[in-house]
Amino acid sequence: MILGVGGKMGPTLARLAKRAAPGRRVMGVARFSEAGLRESLQAQGIECIACDLLEREAISRLPEAPNIVFMAGRKFGSTGGEDLTWAMNVHVPALVAERFAGSRIVAFSTACVYPFVPAAGGGATERPDHAAARRLRDFLRRP
């Protein structure tokens, strides 16, 4: 089950998963606000489930799934609706983890959590909570 299949990379991941395992059930969950996306995915054998992940009751009605790919989120730096950004990036993952506590969950996230560093340097040393604080600070400093 791919949560957030309607986002930037979700449709491609769903199509690749179905192509890699044509006999397996691939479910895509989103609000499906983009016209034609749901129909396009269904035509390729992907089971589409409309769900607003901000609603605990809606999440509770999702079918069981042993494997979850979590791709739902809202881009940090989105102007206006900072409360929605917080809800999508903090509250929704908690609801999903609660609902699918017995499933394997892969969080598919951005590469922008840590600063870019040379590959030969051993990687970033910044802790994730510091990275989030830095991003929020930078966002709030924008004119």
Side-chain angles (χ1 to χ4, degrees):
M1 179 182 293
I2 302 169
L3 302 178
V5 76
K8 189 179 210 176
M9 294 180 281
T12 300
L13 179 65
R15 290 179 184 115
L16 289 171
K18 191 62 178 177
R19 190 177 318 148
R24 302 284 307 262
R25 182 180 189 195
V26 176
M27 295 177 279
V29 176
R31 287 180 297 233
F32 294 104
S33 53
E34 180 183 324
L37 177 60
R38 183 178 193 151
E39 295 76 15
S40 172
L41 291 173
Q42 287 174 329
Q44 295 174 42
I46 297 153
E47 181 180 337
C48 294
I49 304 168
C51 178
D52 185 344
L53 295 174
L54 287 166
E55 297 180 19
R56 182 187 303 267
E57 279 300 310
I59 294 171
S60 72
R61 291 189 299 270
L62 290 173
E64 292 296 324
N67 302 304
I68 304 291
V69 177
F70 186 89
M71 298 181 77
R74 182 170 156 93
K75 183 179 176 182
F76 280 103
S78 298
T79 303
E82 287 79 10
D83 55 337
L84 178 58
T85 301
W86 177 88
M88 286 301 301
N89 295 337
V90 177
H91 184 61
V92 168
L95 294 176
V96 168
E98 177 182 84
R99 165 62 179 90
F100 292 103
S103 300
R104 293 180 292 198
I105 300 174
V106 172
F108 193 101
S109 186
T110 179
C112 298
V113 173
Y114 297 102
F116 290 110
V117 296
T125 58
E126 189 173 31
R127 290 185 16 213
D129 55 336
H130 292 171
R134 180 179 42 79
R135 282 195 319 272
L136 178 60
R137 180 200 66 222
D138 293 347
F139 170 74
L140 293 174
R141 287 183 177 168
R142 289 184 182 175

